[in-house]
């Protein structure tokens, strides 16, 4: 047991060994923006093809 630990030790061994301490909001934003950009690009290509084929 760590003396400077704020939280008591847990029964779950994975709770005490946190791999990444980054903010989850950054990962969530990337997870939203990247697929949005992909589908927007597909949409823009489709609109461009439709516009140029008139």
């Amino acid at each position: 047991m760590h003396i400077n630990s704020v939280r008591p030790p847990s029964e779950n061994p994975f709770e005490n060994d946190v791999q990444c301490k980054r903010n989850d909001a950054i990962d969530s934003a990337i997870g939203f923006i990247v697929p949005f950009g992909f589908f927007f690009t597909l949409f823009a290509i489709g609109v461009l093809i439709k516009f140029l084929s008139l």
Side-chain angles (χ1 to χ4, degrees):
M1 180 173 153
H2 298 283
I3 296 172
N4 295 332
S5 178
V6 177
R7 295 174 48 190
S10 173
E11 299 267 335
N12 185 350
F14 296 104
E15 280 188 14
N16 295 325
D17 185 28
V18 178
Q19 295 280 332
C20 182
K21 296 181 187 267
R22 284 194 315 171
N23 191 344
D24 288 336
I26 297 169
D27 294 330
S28 298
I30 291 172
F32 176 79
I33 291 169
V34 170
F36 180 81
F38 174 73
F39 287 112
F40 179 78
T41 303
L42 288 179
F43 177 76
I45 290 171
V47 168
L48 191 63
I49 289 173
K50 175 124 176 126
F51 180 75
L52 293 176
S53 67
L54 290 177

